[in-house]
């Protein structure tokens, strides 16, 4: 069982970078860490390989400046190796370009399953996993809360507003995993030490067969035109309790159609 | 991607003179810069574990005087923190520095948690690892490293504290070779929850250590109640009435006070780090509180007196951190002497008590509740001040190192 997990390395949400006023994209001049949204996918992949009794988890990440801190965390959790796509030419790449590069890097790995997060914690467009599936022409299942391997297919419980759907899907496939559905393990001391010797293969755009016009700002089909602050929260409606406040609250909730 | 763009800007910026970066109130001197990448990673992992699994609950454990030892011991075993600085037999084989960093984060959670790990690793596993027979090691170390078996260390007695060589607990070998152990130990961390006790006793050929399974007939370990310090930690009496042990129960590797003292030296090293972690937690609680608590029309952090208190705390915590890191490097280089360990134990614990008390005052009335971590740390540190060699005993050890005169008796 070979599982590839797409992991994004992002600025620490506790210490986020600012927006660049010129490009209107996020500055990444701080240390990057493993996106928590992707730690669930790593955990699920490790559990699947454990359950299968054989195989390995391979990471793939696209990140600036040859950043490896987030990969180191996932390797310390137990992944076997990583592919890092990093290249100054990739500055300005949009989600589709990102997906193409990730898909190309994954293509020759012979993966039975490709796992990604449902959405990242910094960009959260929530489109990269499906785009990867599109590029590789693989079936795609979104919002998984559990994955079970059954021979050459998987059974996925797919989170919905009302509960979950049971979905069966042939392998290989791309599955995006909902945040919070498993408890990611802490890297152990032994894992941390072992991670130092695990291979991380770094690839440039050219290594993956892309030229400068296809990636970065030049290749981006999307442009961020404007960034505005979220509207300030309005002051709430205050209901004074004159003994009858409950009728007003009930009326308010009925009006919102929540009861 | 954006970061790469930043990197090209960084290249342009290289020709400009380096600007000093903004000081981080939580690591003013950038002591993190003294750590290697894997050290930071281990430290951050333990910090995350403590934040997720300890801090939300430890106030209640302290209130009720309970310590969920089964869950905690498994979790810290899985993290690889039990006996982590020992090699082989399922132990992680880490550097001393890493062991210290783990202690620092555990004690930033609670001194009881750090005590649990110190006793297991440095006081119970260490003597088995250093002085035990191959059978002792095989039987106990892997289970203890995994957190499946818990150990304790019995040295102190009701009438024998700072002067452990006055101990009365004794072991006599009968003609068949069996040892018979009699006596009482006092203030023993993990005693009532232990599967195995390393008990030090007087014999015809000096002080010897015994590996005592706690289900041996004649052995009991009642819990000491009514503590107002280290409440999220089990402290017990060990009572031994004709405890009969096979001849192999004795630790073959040592027959003098050097045995227990070498264990204490290991644990004290961790305390120099741990106490600093508790002090850091108190300082950070005080800093957050000062910035959010408003009196006289604004945050109390805008008063000069408050700033002086915060700055004093910060300086003490940073100094303690530097001392601890330095001791860590010396220990890994193999040159750390016992009186240098005394420096770290005595000074960092005294420092952390001062910081905890100042922080307690700064939190006003809220500072006396266990809703906030400060008074819990403050009370805990009173135990840390006393155990593993009191403040005075470490002063005497350094005094002896300075003058050549032993002033213990
Ligand atoms: C014009 C334009 C320019 C941009 N320039 C930059 C730039 O210079 N630098 C920059 O960082 N961003 C840039 N972005 C944003 C960037 O394209 C997206 O953040 C990125 O493509 C992923 O989108 P997302 O985070 O919304 O992914 P989502 O679809 O929300 O992510 C879902 C999952 O996909 C996987 N995934 C997503 N991204 C990665 C990755 N990089 N590596 C591995 N797995 C991944 C993860 O498993 C993740 O959980 C730019 C966007 C636009 C429109
Ligand atoms: C919570 C807790 C957990 C503990 N866990 C363990 C454990 O797991 N295993 C274990 O064996 N022990 C343990 N101890 C015991 C601890 O190590 C002793 O309490 C400590 O060594 C001091 O001994 P004492 O309490 O008998 O004090 P005493 O030795 O009676 O000292 C009383 C006072 O006299 C001072 N004093 C003593 N001698 C001198 C001197 N020569 N010159 C000047 N002043 C002196 C001391 O500094 C102290 O202030 C624990 C204690 C506590 C509080």
């Amino acid at each position: 069982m070979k599982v590839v997990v797409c992991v994004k390395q992002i600025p620490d949400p506790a210490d986020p970078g600012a927006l660049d006023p010129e490009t209107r994209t996020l500055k990444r001049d701080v240390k990057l860490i493993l996106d928590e949204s992707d730690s669930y996918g790593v955990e699920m992949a490790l559990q699947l390989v454990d359950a299968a009794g054989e195989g390995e988890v391979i990471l793939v990440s696209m990140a600036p400046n040859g950043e490896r801190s987030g990969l180191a965390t996932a390797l310390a959790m137990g992944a076997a190796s990583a592919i890092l796509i990093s290249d100054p030419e990739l500055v300005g790449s949009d989600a589709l370009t990102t997906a193409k590069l990730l898909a190309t890097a994954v293509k020759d790995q012979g993966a039975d399953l490709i796992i990604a997060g449902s959405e990242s914690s910094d960009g959260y467009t929530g489109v990269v996993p499906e785009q990867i599936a599109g590029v590789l022409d693989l079936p795609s299942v979104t919002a998984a809360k559990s994955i079970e391997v059954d021979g050459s297919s998987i059974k996925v419980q797919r989170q919905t507003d009302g509960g979950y759907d049971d979905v069966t899907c042939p392998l290989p496939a791309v599955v995006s995993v909902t945040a919070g559905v498993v408890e990611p393990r802490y890297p152990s001391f032994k894992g941390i030490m072992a991670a130092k010797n695990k291979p991380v293969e770094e690839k440039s755009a050219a290594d993956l067969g892309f030229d400068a016009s296809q990636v970065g700002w030049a290749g981006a089909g999307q442009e961020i035109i404007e960034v505005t602050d979220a509207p300030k929260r309005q002051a709430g409606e205050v209901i004074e309790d004159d003994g009858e406040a409950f009728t007003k609250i009930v009326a308010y909730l009925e009006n919102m159609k929540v009861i | 991607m954006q970061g790469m763009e930043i990197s090209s800007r960084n290249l342009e910026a290289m020709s400009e003179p380096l600007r000093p970066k903004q000081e981080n109130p939580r690591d003013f001197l950038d002591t993190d810069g003294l750590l290697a990448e894997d050290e930071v990673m281990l430290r951050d992992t333990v910090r995350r574990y403590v934040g997720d699994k300890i801090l939300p609950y430890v106030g209640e454990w302290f209130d009720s005087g309970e310590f969920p030892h089964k869950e905690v011991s498994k979790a810290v075993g899985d993290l690889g923190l039990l006996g982590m600085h020992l090699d082989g037999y399922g132990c992680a084989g880490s550097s001393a520095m890493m062991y210290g960093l783990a202690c620092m984060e555990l004690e930033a959670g609670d001194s009881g948690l750090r005590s649990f790990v110190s006793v297991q690793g440095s006081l119970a596993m260490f003597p088995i690892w250093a002085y035990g027979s191959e059978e002792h090691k095989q039987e106990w170390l892997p289970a203890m490293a995994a957190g499946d078996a818990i150990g304790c260390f019995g040295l102190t007695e009701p009438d024998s504290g700072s002067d452990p060589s006055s101990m009365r607990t004794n072991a006599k070998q009968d003609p068949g070779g069996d040892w018979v152990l009699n006596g009482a130990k006092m203030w023993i961390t993990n005693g009532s929850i232990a599967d195995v006790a390393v008990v030090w006793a007087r014999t015809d050929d000096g002080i010897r250590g015994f590996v005592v399974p706690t289900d041996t007939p004649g052995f009991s370990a009642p819990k000491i109640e009514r503590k107002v310090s280290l409440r999220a930690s089990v402290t017990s009496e060990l009572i031994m009435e004709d405890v009969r042990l096979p001849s192999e129960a004795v630790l073959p590797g040592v027959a003098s006070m050097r045995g227990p003292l070498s264990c204490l030296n290991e644990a004290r090293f961790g305390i120099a780090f741990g106490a600093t972690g508790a002090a850091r937690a108190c300082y950070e609680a005080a800093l957050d509180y000062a910035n959010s608590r408003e009196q006289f029309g604004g945050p109390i952090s805008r008063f000069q007196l408050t700033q002086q208190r915060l700055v004093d705390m910060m300086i003490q915590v940073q100094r303690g951190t530097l001392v601890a890191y330095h001791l860590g490097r010396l220990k890994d280089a193999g040159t750390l002497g016992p009186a240098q360990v005394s420096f770290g134990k005595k000074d960092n614990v005294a420092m952390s008590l001062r910081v905890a008390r100042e922080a307690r005052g700064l939190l006003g009335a809220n500072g006396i509740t266990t809703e906030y971590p400060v008074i819990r740390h403050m009370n805990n540190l009173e135990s840390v001040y006393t155990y593993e060699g009191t403040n005075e005993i470490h002063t005497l050890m350094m005094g002896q190192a300075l003058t050549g005169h032993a002033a213990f008796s």
Side-chain angles (χ1 to χ4, degrees), chain A residues 25-26 28 90-91 196, chain B residues 1-2 4 7 38 52-53:
Chain A
T25 54
L26 194 63
R28 275 137 206 269
L90 297 176
V91 175
K196 293 204 278 191
Chain B
M1 302 177 68
Q2 293 117 338
M4 293 165 181
S7 89
D38 51 0
D52 293 346
K53 305 285 182 192

Side-chain angles (χ1 to χ4, degrees), chain B residues 102-294:
Chain B
C103 287
M104 190 176 267
E105 295 311 315
L106 295 170
E107 196 151 356
D110 191 83
S111 301
L113 174 65
R114 201 269 308 135
S115 300
F116 176 83
V117 171
S118 288
V119 167
Q120 177 87 346
S122 287
L123 296 182
M125 293 172 74
F126 177 79
I128 294 173
W129 179 84
Y131 309 119
S133 65
E134 188 55 34
E135 291 70 33
H136 290 144
K137 296 178 196 185
Q138 300 280 6
E139 182 176 4
W140 291 108
L141 292 180
M144 291 173 87
D148 294 330
I150 294 176
C152 71
F153 172 88
L155 179 65
T156 307
E157 299 184 356
D159 296 320
S160 169
S162 296
D163 179 16
S165 59
S166 67
M167 74 174 66
R168 293 187 195 154
T169 298
N170 62 80
K172 296 207 160 50
Q173 204 160 17
D174 72 15
D178 281 1
W179 289 97
V180 181
L181 203 56
N182 276 290
K185 296 288 175 182
M186 192 69 183
W187 307 114
I188 305 308
T189 303
N190 296 354
S192 315
I193 57 173
D195 301 290
V196 61
V198 174
V199 175
W200 300 93
R202 185 173 294 290
T203 70
D204 287 343
D205 37 58
I207 303 283
R208 309 224 43 186
F210 293 86
V211 179
V212 187
T214 55
D215 57 6
T216 311
F219 182 97
S220 61
K223 197 172 156 188
I224 296 174
E225 306 287 352
R226 306 188 69 176
K227 289 183 299 174
V228 288
S229 172
L230 227 56
R231 288 183 54 75
S233 169
V234 175
T235 317
S236 316
E237 224 176 311
L238 306 184
I239 299 169
M240 289 150 293
E241 288 170 330
D242 291 327
V243 173
R244 182 167 286 274
L245 301 165
S247 62
E248 313 84 73
V250 70
L251 292 174
V254 70
S256 71
M257 278 306 291
R258 188 172 65 81
L261 293 183
S262 63
C263 303
L264 294 172
N265 213 38
E266 293 295 307
R268 290 162 177 173
F269 168 81
I271 292 174
F273 282 78
T276 311
R280 188 190 76 216
C282 292
Y283 157 67
E284 289 183 354
L287 180 65
D288 292 342
Y289 193 82
N291 281 327
S292 60
R293 173 70 179 170
E294 302 200 348

Side-chain angles (χ1 to χ4, degrees), chain A residues 6-8 25 28 35 37-38 60-63 90-95 98 102 115-120 122-129 217 220 222-224, chain B residues 1-3:
Chain A
C6 303
V7 294
K8 194 172 182 190
T25 54
R28 275 137 206 269
D35 187 347
S37 300
D38 288 331
V60 57
S61 185
M62 173 161 142
L90 297 176
V91 175
S93 297
D94 62 6
T98 306
L102 291 171
I115 290 180
S118 284
E119 55 180 29
S120 70
D122 65 341
Y124 50 88
T125 58
V127 296
V128 169
W217 296 112
Q222 273 179 300
E223 186 187 347
I224 299 167
Chain B
M1 302 177 68
Q2 293 117 338

